[in-house]
């Protein structure tokens, strides 16, 4: 059965361009509940670790520089079929290929500065959520109880 959580970051470009509120509104309107959230700035080594899967790619150094250049907003989102539905909501990596109505279509600047990150699997959603949040920092649906 699909996990019901995914992990997102609003990337430095969208934070700098003043799109935090508009992106969070789209996330809520699409039926996701925010169960953990923090604004933080990644160090170079945190950005390298987070995107470590891409370390052999030609864009890796630029990506790390970009991701550590200004704050991000990190969040854990909850919804049925969260990973797949959130990838649909954010749209294609390259905003030129992103569909109308997607977050990247509306807010991405380029293939690198593409506004948001979204986990690509249930396993990565759990790993990435754990990269940013202790279990005591995420909350159940009523927003009060702390999860185990
Ligand atoms: P993310 O993991 O951030 O949600 P994604 O899964 O759509 O994005 P990945 O292939 O995992 O895409 O790439 C990670 C990030 O690296 C992209 O979101 C983008 O910021 C950057 N990136 C990917 N491809 C390129 C490229 N060809 N040139 C520059 N930057 C790129
Ligand atoms: Mg990815």
């Amino acid at each position: 059965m699909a996990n019901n959580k995914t992990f997102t970051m609003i990337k430095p470009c969208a934070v700098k361009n003043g799109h935090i509120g508009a992106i969070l509104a789209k996330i809520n309107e699409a039926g996701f509940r925010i169960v953990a959230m923090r604004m933080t700035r990644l160090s170079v080594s945190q950005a390298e670790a987070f995107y470590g899967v891409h370390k052999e790619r030609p864009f890796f150094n630029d990506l790390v520089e970009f991701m550590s250049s200004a704050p991000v907003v990190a969040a854990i989102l909850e919804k049925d079929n969260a990973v797949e539905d959130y990838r649909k909501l954010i749209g294609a990596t390259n905003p030129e290929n992103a569909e109308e109505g997607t977050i990247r279509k509306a807010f991405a600047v380029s293939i690198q500065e593409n506004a948001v990150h979204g986990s690509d699997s249930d396993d990565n959603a759990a790993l990435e959520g754990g990269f940013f949040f202790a279990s005591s920092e995420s909350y159940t649906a009523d927003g009060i109880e702390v999860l185990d």
Side-chain angles (χ1 to χ4, degrees):
M1 200 180 87
N3 197 333
N4 62 355
K5 287 199 179 123
T6 191
F7 172 80
T8 188
M9 268 189 285
I10 301 177
K11 296 187 179 183
C13 53
V15 171
K16 284 207 264 190
N17 292 335
H19 298 316
I20 295 173
I23 290 172
L24 293 179
K26 270 191 177 291
I27 287 170
N28 280 153
E29 283 158 14
F32 293 86
R33 193 190 321 276
I34 297 165
V35 298
M37 187 164 68
R38 182 186 311 121
M39 189 172 190
T40 185
R41 184 167 172 184
L42 295 179
S43 66
V44 167
S45 56
Q46 283 175 313
E48 284 172 347
F50 188 85
Y51 279 115
V53 66
H54 295 307
K55 64 177 179 296
E56 306 302 333
R57 309 285 289 278
F59 58 80
F60 181 68
N61 288 343
D62 283 349
L63 177 61
V64 166
E65 188 180 334
F66 162 58
M67 289 301 298
S68 57
S69 66
V72 300
V73 174
I76 298 174
L77 309 177
E78 191 173 65
K79 183 185 181 295
D80 289 346
N81 202 34
V83 166
E84 196 184 334
D85 286 1
Y86 192 63
R87 294 291 302 198
K88 276 193 205 131
L89 178 64
I90 69 177
T93 306
N94 185 343
E96 288 178 15
N97 303 326
E99 285 181 33
E100 242 6 279
T102 62
I103 292 175
R104 284 170 168 167
K105 178 74 178 179
F107 301 113
V109 176
S110 67
I111 189 168
Q112 176 180 266
E113 300 196 7
N114 60 2
V116 284
H117 162 80
S119 303
D120 60 9
S121 68
D122 287 350
D123 285 351
N124 283 337
L127 281 172
E128 292 168 0
F131 189 95
F132 282 88
F133 298 102
S135 55
S136 60
E137 295 175 300
S138 72
Y139 296 86
T140 53
D142 59 16
I144 295 169
E145 271 181 72
V146 176
L147 297 173
D148 289 334

